[in-house]
Amino acid sequence: MKTLVSRRSEDYLRVIYEIAEAKGYVRIKDISRALGVKPSTAVEMVRKLHELGLVDYKKYEGITLTARGKEIAEAVKKRRDIFENFLKIILVPENVAKRDAHILEHQLSPETVLQIARFVEFASQAKEWIDEFRNYCEMIKRLDKKSR
């Protein structure tokens, strides 16, 4: 059975997954810090995710992803990583790439995600091509500075 979840729910699942991977356990305060929300807001969403069968949650205990929750979280994280890598390849500064990858992870069709994933894979194997692009961008920057 496919569970449809909101973008915000996907964010929570991804954050729970990432915290669990990093720390081995997840608490409400970890989620609220990571997402910049009040603990009461995090509790409310975690309860909803529990009702959907995506997390296991008991008050004052840790939060764990169910198999389905982990599957969704991994898919969201994979999409985000693809976009972040794509943006880094085209030389977007890392802090901007992280922010924009978050936006893109929810916005694009599966067909577009697949093609960007293929492009990232191709580009990561094409070192000369990436170096040429970097050189091109540096040349444009120099020309822009001269024209000012």
Side-chain angles (χ1 to χ4, degrees):
M1 176 180 159
K2 187 170 181 158
T3 306
L4 294 176
V5 296
S6 68
R7 293 173 182 166
R8 193 72 182 143
S9 296
E10 285 184 345
D11 288 342
Y12 273 80
L13 292 171
R14 179 186 46 77
V15 163
I16 292 167
Y17 177 83
E18 290 173 345
I19 293 168
E21 290 289 303
K23 292 177 67 173
Y25 62 92
V26 182
R27 294 180 307 216
I28 290 294
K29 72 179 185 179
D30 300 321
I31 298 168
S32 73
R33 280 189 201 136
L35 291 171
V37 299
K38 294 177 185 176
S40 59
T41 302
V43 167
E44 185 179 326
M45 179 57 84
V46 168
R47 283 183 179 148
K48 287 179 184 176
L49 295 172
H50 179 77
E51 290 169 9
L52 290 171
L54 300 173
V55 301
D56 289 322
Y57 171 66
K58 292 181 183 138
K59 195 172 182 177
Y60 306 116
E61 292 184 26
I63 299 143
T64 57
L65 294 167
T66 63
R68 181 66 181 134
K70 186 174 181 182
E71 181 183 326
I72 293 169
E74 287 174 337
V76 173
K77 181 168 177 10
K78 182 178 179 182
R79 281 195 318 257
R80 184 184 189 124
D81 290 348
I82 288 167
F83 295 129
E84 193 171 326
N85 289 333
F86 170 72
L87 295 169
K88 287 178 184 177
I89 287 169
I90 62 171
L91 306 177
V92 173
E94 187 168 346
N95 62 327
V96 177
K98 284 183 180 299
R99 183 185 66 230
D100 289 352
H102 176 103
I103 295 166
L104 290 171
E105 80 186 35
H106 301 297
Q107 299 296 325
L108 302 178
S109 70
E111 296 85 3
T112 301
V113 174
L114 176 62
Q115 284 307 109
I116 291 174
R118 288 175 177 162
F119 177 81
V120 167
E121 186 177 334
F122 168 79
S124 67
Q125 297 172 15
K127 175 90 171 92
E128 301 84 23
W129 181 83
I130 293 172
D131 290 340
E132 285 295 317
F133 181 68
R134 183 172 285 110
N135 291 338
Y136 173 79
C137 290
E138 288 172 8
M139 178 190 70
I140 296 296
K141 268 189 206 174
R142 286 192 302 271
L143 292 173
D144 284 348
K145 284 182 183 178
K146 285 181 182 179
S147 67
R148 290 183 192 162

